[in-house]
Coordinates of all heavy atoms in Angstrom, one line a residue:
M1 N -23.5 9.9 8.4 CA -22.0 9.9 8.4 C -21.4 8.8 9.1 O -20.3 8.3 8.6 CB -21.5 11.2 9.2 CG -20.2 11.6 9.3 SD -19.7 11.9 7.6 CE -18.0 12.6 7.8
D2 N -22.0 8.3 10.0 CA -21.6 7.1 10.7 C -21.5 5.8 9.8 O -20.5 5.1 9.8 CB -22.4 6.6 11.9 CG -22.3 7.6 13.1 OD1 -21.4 8.4 13.1 OD2 -23.1 7.5 14.1
T3 N -22.6 5.7 9.1 CA -22.6 4.6 8.0 C -21.5 4.7 7.0 O -20.8 3.7 6.7 CB -23.9 4.5 7.3 OG1 -24.9 4.5 8.4 CG2 -24.1 3.4 6.4
L4 N -21.3 5.9 6.6 CA -20.2 6.2 5.5 C -18.8 5.9 6.1 O -18.0 5.2 5.5 CB -20.2 7.7 5.1 CG -19.3 8.1 4.0 CD1 -19.6 7.3 2.7 CD2 -19.5 9.6 3.7
L5 N -18.5 6.2 7.4 CA -17.3 5.8 8.0 C -17.1 4.4 8.2 O -16.0 3.8 8.1 CB -17.1 6.7 9.3 CG -16.8 8.1 9.2 CD1 -17.0 8.9 10.6 CD2 -15.4 8.4 8.6
N6 N -18.1 3.8 8.6 CA -18.1 2.3 8.7 C -17.9 1.6 7.6 O -17.0 0.6 7.4 CB -19.5 1.7 9.3 CG -19.7 2.0 10.8 OD1 -18.7 1.8 11.5 ND2 -20.9 2.3 11.3
I7 N -18.5 2.0 6.5 CA -18.3 1.4 5.1 C -16.8 1.7 4.6 O -16.2 0.7 4.2 CB -19.1 2.0 4.2 CG1 -20.6 1.5 4.4 CG2 -18.8 1.6 2.6 CD1 -21.7 2.2 3.6
G8 N -16.3 2.9 4.9 CA -14.8 3.2 4.5 C -14.0 2.3 5.3 O -12.9 1.9 5.0
G9 N -14.2 2.0 6.7 CA -13.4 1.0 7.5 C -13.4 -0.3 6.9 O -12.4 -0.9 6.9
Y10 N -14.5 -0.8 6.5 CA -14.6 -2.1 6.0 C -13.9 -2.2 4.7 O -13.2 -3.3 4.4 CB -16.1 -2.6 5.8 CG -16.8 -3.0 7.1 CD1 -17.9 -2.2 7.5 CD2 -16.4 -4.0 7.8 CE1 -18.4 -2.5 8.7 CE2 -17.0 -4.4 9.0 CZ -18.1 -3.5 9.5 OH -18.7 -4.0 10.8
I11 N -14.1 -1.1 3.9 CA -13.3 -1.3 2.6 C -11.9 -1.1 2.8 O -11.2 -1.9 2.1 CB -13.9 0.0 1.6 CG1 -15.3 -0.4 1.1 CG2 -13.0 0.1 0.4 CD1 -15.9 0.8 0.5
G12 N -11.4 -0.4 3.7 CA -10.0 -0.3 4.0 C -9.5 -1.5 4.4 O -8.4 -2.0 3.9
S13 N -10.2 -2.3 5.3 CA -9.7 -3.5 5.8 C -9.7 -4.6 4.8 O -8.7 -5.3 4.6 CB -10.7 -4.0 7.0 OG -10.7 -3.1 8.1
I14 N -10.7 -4.6 4.0 CA -10.8 -5.6 2.8 C -9.5 -5.4 1.9 O -9.0 -6.3 1.4 CB -12.2 -5.5 2.1 CG1 -13.2 -6.1 3.0 CG2 -12.1 -6.3 0.8 CD1 -14.6 -5.8 2.5
L15 N -9.3 -4.1 1.5 CA -8.3 -3.7 0.6 C -6.9 -4.3 1.1 O -6.0 -4.9 0.4 CB -8.1 -2.2 0.3 CG -9.1 -1.7 -0.7 CD1 -9.1 -0.2 -0.8 CD2 -8.9 -2.2 -2.1
L16 N -6.7 -4.0 2.4 CA -5.4 -4.3 2.9 C -5.2 -5.9 3.0 O -4.2 -6.5 2.7 CB -5.3 -3.8 4.4 CG -5.0 -2.3 4.5 CD1 -4.9 -1.9 6.0 CD2 -3.8 -2.0 3.8
V17 N -6.3 -6.6 3.4 CA -6.3 -8.2 3.4 C -6.1 -8.8 2.0 O -5.3 -9.6 1.7 CB -7.4 -8.6 4.2 CG1 -7.6 -10.2 3.9 CG2 -7.5 -8.3 5.6
V18 N -6.9 -8.1 1.0 CA -6.8 -8.7 -0.2 C -5.4 -8.4 -0.9 O -4.8 -9.3 -1.6 CB -7.8 -8.1 -1.2 CG1 -7.6 -8.3 -2.6 CG2 -9.3 -8.6 -0.7
S19 N -4.8 -7.2 -0.6 CA -3.5 -6.9 -1.2 C -2.5 -7.9 -0.5 O -1.6 -8.3 -1.2 CB -3.1 -5.5 -1.1 OG -2.9 -5.1 0.3
F20 N -2.5 -8.1 0.7 CA -1.6 -9.1 1.4 C -1.9 -10.4 0.8 O -0.7 -11.1 0.6 CB -1.8 -8.9 2.9 CG -1.1 -9.9 3.7 CD1 0.4 -9.7 3.9 CD2 -1.7 -11.1 4.2 CE1 1.1 -10.6 4.6 CE2 -0.8 -12.0 5.0 CZ 0.6 -11.7 5.2
L21 N -2.9 -10.9 0.7 CA -3.1 -12.2 0.2 C -2.6 -12.3 -1.3 O -1.9 -13.4 -1.6 CB -4.7 -12.5 0.3 CG -5.2 -13.8 -0.4 CD1 -4.6 -15.0 0.5 CD2 -6.7 -13.9 -0.5
F22 N -2.9 -11.4 -2.1 CA -2.4 -11.4 -3.4 C -0.9 -11.5 -3.5 O -0.3 -12.0 -4.4 CB -2.8 -10.3 -4.3 CG -4.3 -10.5 -4.9 CD1 -5.0 -11.5 -4.3 CD2 -4.8 -9.7 -5.9 CE1 -6.4 -11.6 -4.8 CE2 -6.1 -9.9 -6.2 CZ -6.9 -10.9 -5.8
V23 N -0.2 -10.7 -2.7 CA 1.3 -10.7 -2.7 C 1.8 -12.1 -2.2 O 2.7 -12.6 -2.7 CB 1.8 -9.5 -1.8 CG1 3.3 -9.7 -1.6 CG2 1.7 -8.2 -2.6
T24 N 1.3 -12.5 -1.1 CA 1.6 -13.8 -0.4 C 1.4 -15.0 -1.5 O 2.2 -15.9 -1.5 CB 1.1 -14.0 0.9 OG1 -0.3 -14.1 0.8 CG2 1.5 -13.1 1.8
R25 N 0.4 -14.8 -2.2 CA 0.0 -15.9 -3.2 C 0.8 -15.7 -4.6 O 0.6 -16.6 -5.5 CB -1.3 -16.0 -3.5 CG -2.3 -16.3 -2.3 CD -2.1 -17.7 -1.9 NE -2.9 -18.0 -0.7 CZ -2.8 -19.0 0.0 NH1 -2.0 -20.0 -0.4 NH2 -3.6 -19.2 1.1
G26 N 1.6 -14.7 -4.7 CA 2.3 -14.5 -5.9 C 1.6 -13.8 -7.1 O 2.1 -13.8 -8.2
K27 N 0.4 -13.5 -6.8 CA -0.5 -12.8 -7.8 C 0.0 -11.3 -8.1 O -0.1 -10.9 -9.4 CB -1.9 -12.7 -7.4 CG -2.6 -14.0 -7.2 CD -2.9 -14.9 -8.4 CE -3.6 -16.1 -8.0 NZ -3.5 -17.0 -9.0
W28 N 0.5 -10.7 -7.2 CA 1.0 -9.3 -7.3 C 2.5 -9.3 -6.8 O 2.7 -10.1 -5.9 CB 0.2 -8.3 -6.6 CG -1.2 -8.0 -7.0 CD1 -1.7 -8.3 -8.3 CD2 -2.1 -7.3 -6.4 NE1 -2.9 -7.8 -8.4 CE2 -3.3 -7.2 -7.2 CE3 -2.2 -6.7 -5.1 CZ2 -4.5 -6.5 -6.8 CZ3 -3.4 -6.0 -4.7 CH2 -4.5 -6.0 -5.6
K29 N 3.2 -8.5 -7.4 CA 4.6 -8.2 -6.8 C 4.5 -7.2 -5.8 O 3.6 -6.2 -6.0 CB 5.5 -7.8 -8.0 CG 5.8 -8.8 -8.9 CD 6.8 -8.5 -10.0 CE 7.0 -9.7 -11.0 NZ 8.0 -9.3 -12.0
P30 N 5.4 -7.1 -4.8 CA 5.3 -6.0 -3.9 C 5.6 -4.7 -4.4 O 5.1 -3.7 -3.8 CB 6.6 -6.4 -2.8 CG 6.6 -7.8 -3.0 CD 6.4 -8.1 -4.5
Q31 N 6.2 -4.5 -5.5 CA 6.3 -3.3 -6.1 C 5.3 -2.9 -7.1 O 5.4 -1.9 -7.9 CB 7.7 -3.1 -6.9 CG 8.9 -3.4 -5.9 CD 9.3 -4.8 -5.7 OE1 8.9 -5.7 -6.2 NE2 10.1 -4.9 -4.7
S32 N 4.3 -3.8 -7.4 CA 3.3 -3.5 -8.4 C 2.3 -2.3 -8.0 O 2.2 -2.0 -6.9 CB 2.4 -4.7 -8.6 OG 1.5 -5.0 -7.5
K33 N 1.8 -1.6 -9.0 CA 1.0 -0.5 -8.9 C -0.2 -0.8 -8.0 O -0.8 -0.1 -7.2 CB 0.9 0.3 -10.0 CG 0.1 -0.4 -11.1 CD -0.2 0.4 -12.4 CE -0.7 -0.4 -13.4 NZ -0.8 0.4 -14.7
Y34 N -0.7 -2.1 -8.4 CA -2.1 -2.5 -7.7 C -1.9 -2.8 -6.2 O -2.5 -2.2 -5.4 CB -2.5 -3.8 -8.4 CG -2.7 -3.7 -9.8 CD1 -1.8 -4.5 -10.7 CD2 -3.6 -2.9 -10.4 CE1 -1.9 -4.4 -12.1 CE2 -3.8 -2.9 -11.8 CZ -3.0 -3.6 -12.7 OH -3.2 -3.5 -13.9
Y35 N -0.6 -3.4 -5.8 CA -0.4 -3.5 -4.5 C -0.2 -2.1 -3.7 O -0.8 -2.0 -2.7 CB 0.8 -4.4 -4.3 CG 1.2 -4.6 -3.0 CD1 0.5 -5.4 -2.0 CD2 2.5 -4.1 -2.4 CE1 0.9 -5.6 -0.7 CE2 2.7 -4.3 -1.1 CZ 2.1 -5.0 -0.3 OH 2.4 -5.3 1.0
L36 N 0.6 -1.4 -4.3 CA 0.8 0.0 -3.7 C -0.3 0.8 -3.5 O -0.5 1.4 -2.4 CB 2.0 0.7 -4.4 CG 3.3 0.0 -4.4 CD1 4.4 0.7 -5.3 CD2 3.9 -0.1 -3.0
F37 N -1.1 0.9 -4.5 CA -2.3 1.7 -4.4 C -3.4 1.1 -3.5 O -4.0 1.9 -2.7 CB -2.9 2.0 -5.8 CG -2.3 3.1 -6.4 CD1 -1.3 2.9 -7.6 CD2 -2.4 4.4 -6.1 CE1 -0.7 3.9 -8.2 CE2 -1.7 5.5 -6.9 CZ -0.9 5.2 -7.9
A38 N -3.5 -0.2 -3.4 CA -4.4 -0.8 -2.6 C -4.0 -0.7 -1.1 O -4.8 -0.4 -0.2 CB -4.5 -2.5 -2.9
N39 N -2.7 -0.7 -0.8 CA -2.2 -0.4 0.5 C -2.5 1.0 0.9 O -2.8 1.4 2.1 CB -0.8 -0.8 0.7 CG -0.4 -2.2 1.0 OD1 -1.4 -2.9 1.6 ND2 0.7 -2.7 0.8
L40 N -2.1 1.9 0.0 CA -2.4 3.4 0.2 C -3.8 3.6 0.5 O -4.1 4.3 1.5 CB -1.9 4.1 -1.0 CG -2.1 5.8 -0.9 CD1 -1.3 6.4 0.3 CD2 -1.6 6.4 -2.2
I41 N -4.7 3.2 -0.5 CA -6.0 3.6 -0.1 C -6.7 2.8 1.1 O -7.4 3.4 1.9 CB -7.0 3.2 -1.4 CG1 -6.5 4.1 -2.5 CG2 -8.4 3.4 -1.2 CD1 -7.0 3.6 -3.9
G42 N -6.3 1.6 1.1 CA -6.8 0.7 2.5 C -6.3 1.4 3.6 O -7.1 1.5 4.7
A43 N -5.1 1.6 3.8 CA -4.6 2.2 5.0 C -5.2 3.5 5.3 O -5.3 3.9 6.6 CB -3.0 2.2 4.9
T44 N -5.4 4.4 4.3 CA -5.9 5.7 4.6 C -7.5 5.6 5.1 O -7.7 6.2 6.0 CB -5.7 6.6 3.2 OG1 -4.4 6.6 2.9 CG2 -6.4 7.9 3.6
L45 N -8.2 4.7 4.4 CA -9.5 4.7 4.8 C -9.6 4.1 6.2 O -10.4 4.5 7.0 CB -10.2 3.7 3.8 CG -10.7 4.2 2.5 CD1 -11.2 3.2 1.6 CD2 -11.5 5.4 2.6
L46 N -8.8 3.1 6.6 CA -8.8 2.4 7.8 C -8.2 3.6 9.0 O -8.7 3.5 10.1 CB -7.9 1.2 7.9 CG -8.2 0.2 9.0 CD1 -9.7 -0.1 9.1 CD2 -7.3 -1.1 8.8
A47 N -7.3 4.2 8.6 CA -6.7 5.3 9.6 C -7.9 6.3 9.9 O -8.1 6.7 11.1 CB -5.5 6.0 8.9
I48 N -8.7 6.7 8.9 CA -9.7 7.6 9.2 C -10.8 7.1 10.0 O -11.2 7.6 10.9 CB -10.4 8.0 7.9 CG1 -9.3 9.1 7.0 CG2 -11.6 8.9 8.0 CD1 -9.8 9.3 5.5
Y49 N -11.1 5.8 9.7 CA -12.2 5.0 10.5 C -11.7 4.8 12.0 O -12.3 5.1 12.9 CB -12.4 3.7 9.9 CG -13.3 2.8 10.6 CD1 -14.6 3.2 10.8 CD2 -13.0 1.6 11.2 CE1 -15.5 2.4 11.5 CE2 -13.7 0.9 11.9 CZ -15.0 1.3 12.2 OH -16.0 0.5 12.9
Q50 N -10.3 4.5 12.2 CA -9.7 4.3 13.5 C -9.7 5.6 14.2 O -9.9 5.8 15.5 CB -8.5 3.6 13.4 CG -8.7 2.2 13.0 CD -7.3 1.5 12.8 OE1 -6.2 2.1 12.2 NE2 -7.2 0.2 12.9
F51 N -9.4 6.7 13.6 CA -9.3 8.0 14.2 C -10.7 8.4 14.7 O -10.9 8.9 15.8 CB -8.9 9.0 13.2 CG -8.7 10.5 13.8 CD1 -7.6 10.8 14.5 CD2 -9.7 11.4 13.5 CE1 -7.4 12.0 15.1 CE2 -9.6 12.8 14.1 CZ -8.4 13.0 14.9
W52 N -11.6 8.1 13.9 CA -13.1 8.3 14.3 C -13.5 7.6 15.5 O -14.1 8.1 16.4 CB -14.0 8.1 13.1 CG -15.5 8.3 13.5 CD1 -16.2 9.4 13.6 CD2 -16.4 7.1 13.4 NE1 -17.6 9.1 13.9 CE2 -17.7 7.7 13.7 CE3 -16.3 5.7 13.2 CZ2 -18.8 6.9 13.7 CZ3 -17.4 5.0 13.3 CH2 -18.7 5.6 13.6
L53 N -13.0 6.3 15.6 CA -13.3 5.5 16.8 C -12.4 5.9 18.0 O -12.7 5.4 19.1 CB -13.0 4.1 16.5 CG -14.0 3.4 15.4 CD1 -13.3 1.9 15.2 CD2 -15.4 3.4 15.9
G54 N -11.4 6.6 17.8 CA -10.5 7.0 18.9 C -9.4 5.8 19.1 O -8.7 6.0 20.1
A55 N -9.1 5.0 18.1 CA -8.1 4.1 18.2 C -6.8 4.6 17.6 O -6.6 4.2 16.5 CB -8.6 2.7 17.4
Y56 N -6.1 5.3 18.4 CA -5.0 6.2 18.0 C -3.8 5.2 17.6 O -3.0 5.7 16.8 CB -4.6 7.3 18.8 CG -5.8 8.0 19.1 CD1 -6.5 8.4 20.2 CD2 -6.3 8.9 18.0 CE1 -7.6 9.1 20.3 CE2 -7.5 9.7 18.0 CZ -8.1 10.0 19.3 OH -9.1 10.6 19.4
A57 N -3.6 4.1 18.3 CA -2.5 3.2 17.9 C -2.6 2.7 16.5 O -1.7 2.6 15.8 CB -2.5 2.1 19.0
G58 N -3.8 2.3 16.2 CA -4.1 1.8 14.9 C -4.0 3.0 13.8 O -3.6 2.8 12.8
V59 N -4.4 4.1 14.2 CA -4.2 5.4 13.3 C -2.8 5.4 13.0 O -2.3 5.6 11.8 CB -4.6 6.6 13.9 CG1 -4.3 7.8 13.1 CG2 -6.2 6.6 14.1
I60 N -1.9 5.5 14.0 CA -0.4 5.6 13.8 C 0.1 4.5 12.8 O 0.9 4.7 12.0 CB 0.3 5.6 15.1 CG1 0.0 6.8 16.0 CG2 1.8 5.6 15.0 CD1 0.4 6.9 17.4
L61 N -0.3 3.3 13.1 CA 0.2 2.1 12.3 C -0.3 2.3 10.8 O 0.6 2.2 9.9 CB -0.4 0.8 12.9 CG 0.0 -0.4 12.0 CD1 1.4 -0.7 12.1 CD2 -0.8 -1.7 12.6
N62 N -1.5 2.7 10.6 CA -2.0 2.9 9.3 C -1.4 4.0 8.5 O -1.2 4.1 7.4 CB -3.5 2.9 9.3 CG -4.0 1.4 9.4 OD1 -3.7 0.5 8.5 ND2 -4.7 1.1 10.5
V63 N -1.2 5.1 9.3 CA -0.5 6.3 8.7 C 0.9 5.9 8.1 O 1.4 6.3 7.2 CB -0.4 7.4 9.6 CG1 0.6 8.6 9.2 CG2 -1.9 8.0 9.8
V64 N 1.6 5.0 8.9 CA 3.0 4.5 8.5 C 2.8 3.7 7.3 O 3.6 3.8 6.4 CB 3.6 3.7 9.8 CG1 4.8 3.0 9.2 CG2 4.0 4.7 10.9
F65 N 1.8 2.7 7.4 CA 1.7 1.9 6.1 C 1.2 2.8 4.9 O 1.8 2.5 3.8 CB 0.3 1.0 6.3 CG 0.7 -0.2 7.1 CD1 -0.2 -1.0 7.8 CD2 2.1 -0.6 7.3 CE1 0.0 -2.1 8.4 CE2 2.3 -1.8 8.2 CZ 1.3 -2.5 8.7
A66 N 0.4 3.8 5.0 CA 0.1 4.7 3.8 C 1.3 5.4 3.5 O 1.6 5.7 2.3 CB -1.0 5.6 4.3
S67 N 2.1 6.0 4.5 CA 3.2 6.7 4.1 C 4.4 5.8 3.3 O 5.0 6.3 2.4 CB 3.9 7.3 5.4 OG 3.1 8.1 6.1
V68 N 4.4 4.6 3.7 CA 5.5 3.8 3.1 C 4.9 3.6 1.5 O 5.8 3.6 0.6 CB 5.7 2.4 3.8 CG1 6.4 1.4 3.0 CG2 6.4 2.7 5.0
A69 N 3.6 3.2 1.5 CA 3.0 3.0 0.0 C 3.2 4.3 -0.7 O 3.6 4.2 -2.0 CB 1.6 2.7 0.1
L70 N 3.0 5.5 -0.2 CA 3.1 6.7 -0.9 C 4.5 6.9 -1.2 O 4.8 7.3 -2.4 CB 2.6 7.9 0.0 CG 2.3 9.2 -0.8 CD1 1.4 9.1 -1.9 CD2 1.8 10.3 0.2
W71 N 5.4 6.6 -0.4 CA 6.8 6.8 -0.8 C 7.2 5.9 -1.9 O 7.9 6.4 -2.8 CB 7.7 6.5 0.5 CG 9.3 6.6 0.3 CD1 10.0 5.5 -0.1 CD2 10.1 7.7 0.2 NE1 11.3 5.9 -0.3 CE2 11.4 7.3 -0.1 CE3 9.8 9.1 0.4 CZ2 12.4 8.3 -0.3 CZ3 10.8 9.9 0.2 CH2 12.1 9.6 0.0
D72 N 6.9 4.7 -1.8 CA 7.1 3.7 -2.9 C 6.5 4.1 -4.2 O 7.2 4.0 -5.3 CB 6.7 2.2 -2.5 CG 7.6 1.7 -1.5 OD1 8.6 2.1 -1.3 OD2 7.1 0.6 -0.9
I73 N 5.3 4.6 -4.1 CA 4.7 5.2 -5.4 C 5.5 6.3 -5.9 O 5.7 6.3 -7.1 CB 3.2 5.6 -5.1 CG1 2.4 4.3 -4.9 CG2 2.7 6.2 -6.3 CD1 0.9 4.5 -4.3
A74 N 5.9 7.2 -5.1 CA 6.7 8.4 -5.6 C 8.0 8.0 -6.1 O 8.5 8.6 -7.1 CB 6.7 9.3 -4.6
T75 N 8.7 7.0 -5.5 CA 10.1 6.6 -6.0 C 10.2 5.5 -6.9 O 11.1 5.6 -7.6 CB 11.0 6.4 -4.7 OG1 10.4 5.3 -4.1 CG2 10.9 7.5 -3.8
Y76 N 9.3 4.7 -7.0 CA 9.3 3.5 -7.9 C 9.4 3.8 -9.3 O 10.1 3.3 -10.1 CB 8.3 2.5 -7.6 CG 8.4 1.2 -8.2 CD1 9.4 0.4 -7.9 CD2 7.6 0.8 -9.3 CE1 9.6 -0.9 -8.6 CE2 7.8 -0.2 -9.9 CZ 8.8 -1.2 -9.6 OH 9.1 -2.3 -10.4
W77 N 8.6 4.8 -9.6 CA 8.5 5.1 -11.1 C 9.4 6.3 -11.5 O 9.1 6.9 -12.6 CB 7.1 5.3 -11.4 CG 6.4 4.1 -11.5 CD1 6.3 3.1 -12.4 CD2 5.3 3.7 -10.5 NE1 5.6 2.1 -12.1 CE2 4.9 2.4 -11.0 CE3 4.9 4.3 -9.4 CZ2 4.0 1.7 -10.1 CZ3 3.8 3.5 -8.6 CH2 3.5 2.2 -9.1
T78 N 10.4 6.7 -10.7 CA 11.2 7.8 -11.0 C 12.2 7.2 -12.1 O 12.6 6.1 -12.0 CB 11.8 8.4 -9.8 OG1 12.7 7.4 -9.2 CG2 10.9 9.0 -9.0
P79 N 12.9 8.1 -12.9 CA 13.9 7.6 -13.8 C 15.1 7.0 -13.1 O 15.6 6.1 -13.6 CB 14.3 8.9 -14.6 CG 13.1 9.7 -14.5 CD 12.4 9.5 -13.2
K80 N 15.5 7.6 -12.0 CA 16.6 7.0 -11.2 C 16.4 5.6 -10.9 O 17.1 4.7 -11.0 CB 16.9 7.9 -10.1 CG 18.1 7.3 -9.2 CD 18.3 8.3 -8.0 CE 19.5 7.9 -7.3 NZ 19.8 8.7 -6.1
K81 N 15.3 5.3 -10.3 CA 14.8 3.9 -9.9 C 14.9 3.1 -11.1 O 15.3 1.9 -11.0 CB 13.5 4.1 -9.2 CG 13.1 2.7 -8.6 CD 13.9 2.3 -7.4 CE 13.3 1.0 -6.8 NZ 14.1 0.6 -5.6
R82 N 14.2 3.3 -12.1 CA 14.2 2.5 -13.4 C 15.6 2.2 -13.9 O 15.9 1.0 -14.3 CB 13.2 3.2 -14.4 CG 11.8 2.9 -14.2 CD 11.0 3.3 -15.3 NE 10.7 4.8 -15.0 CZ 10.3 5.7 -15.8 NH1 10.2 5.4 -17.0 NH2 10.0 6.8 -15.4
S83 N 16.4 3.2 -13.9 CA 17.9 2.8 -14.3 C 18.5 1.9 -13.4 O 19.3 1.0 -13.7 CB 18.7 4.2 -14.5 OG 18.9 4.8 -13.3
Y84 N 18.2 2.0 -11.9 CA 18.7 1.1 -11.2 C 18.2 -0.3 -11.4 O 19.0 -1.3 -11.3 CB 18.5 1.4 -9.7 CG 18.8 0.4 -8.7 CD1 20.1 0.3 -8.3 CD2 17.8 -0.3 -8.0 CE1 20.5 -0.7 -7.4 CE2 18.1 -1.3 -7.1 CZ 19.5 -1.4 -6.8 OH 20.0 -2.4 -5.9
K85 N 16.9 -0.5 -11.6 CA 16.4 -1.8 -11.9 C 17.1 -2.4 -13.1 O 17.5 -3.6 -13.1 CB 15.0 -1.7 -12.1 CG 14.1 -1.6 -10.9 CD 12.7 -1.4 -11.1 CE 12.0 -2.1 -12.2 NZ 10.7 -2.0 -12.6
K86 N 17.3 -1.7 -14.1 CA 18.0 -2.2 -15.3 C 19.3 -2.6 -15.0 O 19.7 -3.8 -15.5 CB 18.0 -1.2 -16.5 CG 16.6 -0.9 -17.1 CD 16.6 0.0 -18.0 CE 15.3 0.4 -18.7 NZ 15.3 1.6 -19.6
R87 N 20.1 -1.9 -14.4 CA 21.4 -2.2 -14.0 C 21.5 -3.6 -13.1 O 22.4 -4.4 -13.2 CB 22.2 -1.2 -13.3 CG 22.6 -0.1 -14.2 CD 23.5 0.9 -13.6 NE 22.4 1.5 -12.5 CZ 22.7 2.6 -11.8 NH1 23.9 3.0 -11.7 NH2 21.8 3.0 -11.0
K88 N 20.6 -3.6 -12.3 CA 20.5 -4.6 -11.3 C 20.3 -6.1 -12.0 O 20.8 -7.0 -11.6 CB 19.2 -4.6 -10.3 CG 19.1 -5.5 -9.3 CD 18.0 -5.3 -8.2 CE 17.7 -6.4 -7.4 NZ 16.6 -6.3 -6.6
N89 N 19.4 -5.9 -13.1 CA 19.2 -7.2 -13.9 C 20.4 -7.6 -14.7 O 20.6 -8.9 -15.0 CB 18.1 -7.0 -14.9 CG 16.7 -6.9 -14.1 OD1 16.6 -7.2 -13.0 ND2 15.8 -6.3 -14.7
L90 N 21.3 -6.8 -14.9 CA 22.6 -7.2 -15.6 C 23.7 -7.8 -14.8 O 24.5 -8.4 -15.2 CB 23.2 -5.9 -16.4 CG 22.2 -5.2 -17.4 CD1 22.9 -3.9 -17.9 CD2 22.0 -6.2 -18.6
I91 N 23.5 -7.6 -13.5 CA 24.5 -8.2 -12.7 C 24.4 -9.8 -12.5 O 23.3 -10.2 -12.2 CB 24.4 -7.5 -11.2 CG1 24.8 -6.0 -11.4 CG2 25.5 -8.3 -10.2 CD1 24.5 -5.3 -10.1
I92 N 25.4 -10.4 -12.8 CA 25.4 -11.9 -12.7 C 26.2 -12.3 -11.5 O 27.5 -12.1 -11.4 CB 25.9 -12.6 -14.0 CG1 25.1 -12.2 -15.1 CG2 25.9 -14.1 -13.7 CD1 25.6 -12.5 -16.4
L93 N 25.6 -13.1 -10.6 CA 26.2 -13.5 -9.3 C 26.7 -15.0 -9.5 O 26.1 -15.8 -10.1 CB 25.4 -13.2 -8.1 CG 25.0 -11.8 -7.9 CD1 24.0 -11.8 -6.6 CD2 26.1 -11.1 -7.5

């Protein structure tokens, strides 16, 4: 069980770093499904690992990251959000 939790912690860390790197390098957009799911899975795995270690400050931080990713996943692909995106593109400043 310890090995499985360690592997999950490493995978979570790698997912968060890779998603951050890809967004800052312009490979992924912050609203892309790849970025959101990588953040959701990475933050969840890392929160579980930190909970197991007793690092509760890290758990809180990663629960917030996972919650934001889950919120964005839930709201980004709703019809209301898509119609807002279309109207936004029509506005000329």
Side-chain angles (χ1 to χ4, degrees):
M1 186 67 170
D2 292 349
T3 304
L4 187 61
L5 288 169
N6 281 323
I7 291 170
Y10 285 117
I11 291 172
S13 297
I14 290 168
L15 280 172
L16 289 176
V17 170
V18 167
S19 66
F20 177 72
L21 180 68
F22 279 14
V23 165
T24 57
R25 299 288 180 190
K27 302 287 184 186
W28 290 347
K29 294 181 180 179
Q31 297 85 11
S32 74
K33 63 183 174 184
Y34 303 112
Y35 177 70
L36 294 174
F37 279 107
N39 272 341
L40 176 62
I41 294 167
T44 302
L45 288 174
L46 200 53
I48 293 167
Y49 177 67
Q50 290 171 332
F51 182 79
W52 174 67
L53 290 176
Y56 300 113
V59 172
I60 293 169
L61 177 65
N62 282 299
V63 166
V64 169
F65 282 162
S67 299
V68 169
L70 190 59
W71 177 263
D72 285 345
I73 288 168
T75 59
Y76 186 72
W77 288 288
T78 61
K80 182 179 178 184
K81 182 70 174 179
R82 277 186 265 161
S83 64
Y84 171 74
K85 280 176 38 182
K86 289 178 184 175
R87 284 183 294 181
K88 182 179 173 186
N89 291 336
L90 295 176
I91 298 172
I92 300 173
L93 299 175

